[in-house]
Amino acid sequence: MLALRLARGSHPLVLMRRLLVAAASAGVGFLLLCTLGYASGHPAHSAGSVLRLLWCFVPMAATVQFAVAVARTDPSTRPRAGLSAVGLGPVRLSVLAAVSTAVSCTLGSMVALLFFLHLRGDLSGLPFDGAAAGLLGAAAPLPLAAVLVLLTLVPVAAATASALALRTAPVRATAAQDTEDLLPEEQIPALMAAPAGLPWGVALTAAGLAVEAYANRGSTGSPFPLPGKLDSTPAWVLVGWTLTAIGLATAGPGLTYLCGRLLQAVRPGAVRLLAGRVLMNEAHRIGRPLGVVCAVLSAVVAAYALYGTGPRPFGPLTALGAVLVIGCTTATLLTSALEAKQARAETARSLLRLGAPASALRAATALRAAALLLVFAPLTWAIAELAALPLTA
């Protein structure tokens, strides 16, 4: 009840973010139900059904990541000093975050079920009733237990991840600690230590590219078929792309930290110093979403290089999955940037009270965006070219 009361009194932008989580959950639930309908209607094509199910975990992971980012920026569940005195400690706040996320995702799953049954023809009396009966396997009955299991995957995963993220989130202390961003380099606190995942991220990315190249060796038919156009089962190609995505997500914080260090090189002024220290401080928060967006965009570029100029079109389910992945990862990055802005709001107010011009803060923001673009854009293009090279050879 407390979670519902907090949701009812939330800001409209907070409610909009929760509705976006529900919409993403609905899209993933629809894809899972479509996979179940295909498996029920084609029992002899078990390999194709398994591959379709594996593809569904990509948009599901993007949706869970987006749900966690929304839970972290929710003002009602954000850890703050002093809440433990009124019974809202880290455990209680993590439970509230889990319940709120579960409610949003469950709403989306129910919408997906109703939409799926309507297009399948099981619900009558509405427009477009049974319009996609052939695509959704309306001739075969659906097992109720499998439907329930598939529809609970996203709510359970998102709620669990949100609870863990809020349980381990650090409490932002007093405004005096926010002035750390302008300390001399020899006084940089251990909050701002360099992330240790950059070597592991590089190794995982290289391993993923190697697996993709090995999977294409000696294969027949299309080396990278998408759901709906299954002429082979390239499970290792999907494994290679997953390793590449994990590697870029792991290396993202280290690369963001490196951008902050580069901004402070060669006798920096106040604006470059502020921009670099902010990037170093926010490397853990925005680096991982940046790495995931880099992986997704590189996959889009590679897929376009493989299919974009050919006669083979993308199927409707492939388009839905691509929209979910691109939309959720981009929304996660924007939400993480909003969280970072909220975290340094007191720093900005303190600098303005000390007489810093507002134009300096805007210039620091522009410098941070330019540094990230200069590092991550070439990296995305290079990974895309390396991933597409063995597939188009």
Side-chain angles (χ1 to χ4, degrees):
M1 292 300 296
L2 179 59
L4 294 177
R5 289 176 180 269
L6 292 175
R8 187 180 62 180
S10 298
H11 193 273
L13 291 179
V14 178
L15 292 177
M16 182 177 296
R17 289 197 293 267
R18 290 178 178 173
L19 288 177
L20 289 177
V21 171
S25 176
V28 176
F30 183 79
L31 288 177
L32 290 171
L33 291 176
C34 291
T35 301
L36 180 60
Y38 178 85
S40 300
H42 304 81
H45 299 166
S46 58
S49 301
V50 172
L51 182 60
R52 286 170 178 257
L53 183 62
L54 290 177
W55 272 112
C56 291
F57 282 99
V58 177
M60 188 177 79
T63 300
V64 171
Q65 184 194 25
F66 178 45
V68 171
V70 170
R72 289 175 62 93
T73 56
D74 194 339
S76 61
T77 59
R78 189 185 310 140
R80 292 185 297 272
L83 288 181
S84 298
V86 294
L88 291 176
V91 176
R92 186 70 180 275
L93 287 177
S94 62
V95 171
L96 286 177
V99 172
S100 301
T101 305
V103 168
S104 300
C105 294
T106 303
L107 175 62
S109 297
M110 293 301 101
V111 172
L113 178 61
L114 293 176
F115 192 66
F116 176 80
L117 294 178
H118 168 57
L119 292 181
R120 184 180 156 93
D122 296 333
L123 297 179
S124 58
L126 295 174
F128 305 104
D129 179 28
L135 178 64
L136 303 181
L142 292 177
L144 179 60
V147 171
L148 295 178
V149 170
L150 291 179
L151 289 181
T152 55
L153 285 179
V154 177
V156 171
T160 304
S162 299
L164 293 176
L166 268 294
R167 182 66 178 87
T168 58
V171 178
R172 189 65 176 174
T174 59
Q177 291 182 340
D178 289 327
T179 58
E180 301 172 336
D181 295 331
L182 296 177
L183 288 176
E185 186 162 352
E186 62 271 10
Q187 300 181 21
I188 295 178
L191 173 59
M192 297 176 66
L198 184 57
W200 289 103
V202 173
L204 286 173
T205 303
L209 293 174
V211 169
E212 291 182 28
Y214 178 80
N216 185 47
R217 189 179 62 175
S219 61
T220 59
S222 177
F224 193 58
L226 297 173
K229 301 288 185 180
L230 301 173
D231 49 4
S232 61
T233 55
W236 285 107
V237 175
L238 183 58
V239 171
W241 183 84
T242 303
L243 286 176
T244 303
I246 295 175
L248 290 174
T250 305
L255 292 174
T256 305
Y257 188 90
L258 180 61
C259 291
R261 294 300 298 264
L262 291 177
L263 280 177
Q264 302 173 74
V266 191
R267 302 180 63 182
V271 175
R272 280 204 293 143
L273 182 64
L274 177 61
R277 293 295 168 84
V278 169
L279 274 184
M280 292 168 60
N281 195 30
E282 296 174 355
H284 293 278
R285 182 180 287 115
I286 67 174
R288 187 167 290 109
L290 269 173
V292 173
V293 170
C294 179
V296 170
L297 292 180
S298 63
V300 170
V301 173
Y304 180 80
L306 187 61
Y307 292 118
T309 58
R312 178 173 177 170
F314 297 102
L317 299 183
T318 301
L320 176 59
V323 169
L324 285 174
V325 173
I326 297 174
C328 287
T329 52
T330 304
T332 300
L333 179 59
L334 295 177
T335 306
S336 300
L338 176 62
E339 181 188 8
K341 182 180 179 180
Q342 293 173 350
R344 64 174 184 271
E346 188 62 30
T347 302
R349 286 192 292 266
S350 300
L351 290 175
L352 292 175
R353 284 195 300 266
L354 292 174
S359 59
L361 300 182
R362 291 193 294 267
T365 302
L367 274 178
R368 292 197 300 271
L372 292 175
L373 185 63
L374 287 176
V375 171
F376 280 91
L379 177 64
T380 301
W381 184 259
I383 295 297
E385 291 295 325
L386 291 175
L389 183 61
L391 299 178
T392 56

